[in-house]
């Protein structure tokens, strides 16, 4: 019985420590184009100096994977009611997530007027770079 109580106390302490650690507090989930531009700058993993860099990288890559997966799925489904700016042909090539990140970051750099918009606006960069070709 005491082992079970100690187990739950330790789990609670670990969870509280993880949620209140300074490293976690510094990471930013990029929800706007501005935040993506600021915190998802193209860097190499070898440039990371602390845990916060890795956490931030993971958050940025999560946004990139989410947007690129949605864009590719929209292309593969080949629905006529989905606008072309929400489709990208990403499954056929050897393009990496790093290339997607660079494309999205360049787009945010080249379009500062979009910075107050949600990060989903960067989907247009993928559609421009890898357009979904409609089958004949």
């Amino acid at each position: 019985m005491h082992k079970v109580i100690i187990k739950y106390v330790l789990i609670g302490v670990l969870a509280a420590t993880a949620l209140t650690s300074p490293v976690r507090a510094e990471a930013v989930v990029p929800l706007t184009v501005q935040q993506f531009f600021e915190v998802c700058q193209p860097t190499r993993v070898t440039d990371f100096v602390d845990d916060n860099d890795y956490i931030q990288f993971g958050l940025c890559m999560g946004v990139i994977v989410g947007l690129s997966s949605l864009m590719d799925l929209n292309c593969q489904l080949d629905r006529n009611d989905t606008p072309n700016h929400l489709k990208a042909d990403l499954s056929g090539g050897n393009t990496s997530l790093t290339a997607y990140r660079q494309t999205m970051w360049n787009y945010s750099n080249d379009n500062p007027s979009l910075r107050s918009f949600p990060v989903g606006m960067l989907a247009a960069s993928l559609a421009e770079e890898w357009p979904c070709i409609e089958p004949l």
Side-chain angles (χ1 to χ4, degrees), residues 89-96 100 130:
D89 190 6
L90 304 174
S91 63
N94 295 325
T95 310
S96 68
Y100 302 157
W130 296 279

Side-chain angles (χ1 to χ4, degrees), residues 5-134:
I5 293 172
I6 291 173
K7 176 182 168 183
Y8 287 113
V9 168
L10 286 176
I11 290 172
V13 169
L14 288 173
T17 302
L19 293 173
T20 60
S21 70
V23 171
R24 186 167 175 87
E26 294 174 13
V28 175
V29 177
L31 299 176
T32 66
V33 174
Q34 177 69 34
Q35 289 171 331
F36 186 89
F37 179 74
E38 291 173 356
V39 301
C40 298
Q41 296 180 13
T43 55
R44 298 181 313 245
V45 174
T46 55
D47 295 334
F48 295 171
V49 295
D50 60 22
D51 290 343
N52 189 57
D53 290 341
Y54 288 98
I55 292 168
Q56 190 61 65
F57 177 78
L59 293 171
C60 291
M61 293 311 284
V63 168
I64 294 163
V65 167
L67 280 176
S68 62
S69 297
L70 174 66
M71 298 291 288
D72 188 57
L73 180 63
N74 283 341
C75 182
Q76 301 309 315
L77 289 175
D78 191 31
R79 292 181 50 166
N80 292 331
D81 59 344
T82 303
N84 287 335
H85 68 274
L86 295 177
K87 298 178 185 179
D89 190 6
L90 304 174
S91 63
N94 295 325
T95 310
S96 68
L97 290 172
T98 303
Y100 302 157
R101 177 178 57 166
Q102 184 69 54
T103 299
M104 292 166 65
W105 191 87
N106 289 347
Y107 191 83
S108 65
N109 184 45
D110 296 341
N111 296 285
S113 62
L114 299 178
R115 300 245 178 103
S116 64
F117 288 93
V119 73
M121 291 295 290
L122 296 176
S125 66
L126 300 174
E128 285 180 12
E129 189 69 25
W130 296 279
C132 183
I133 308 299
E134 301 289 333

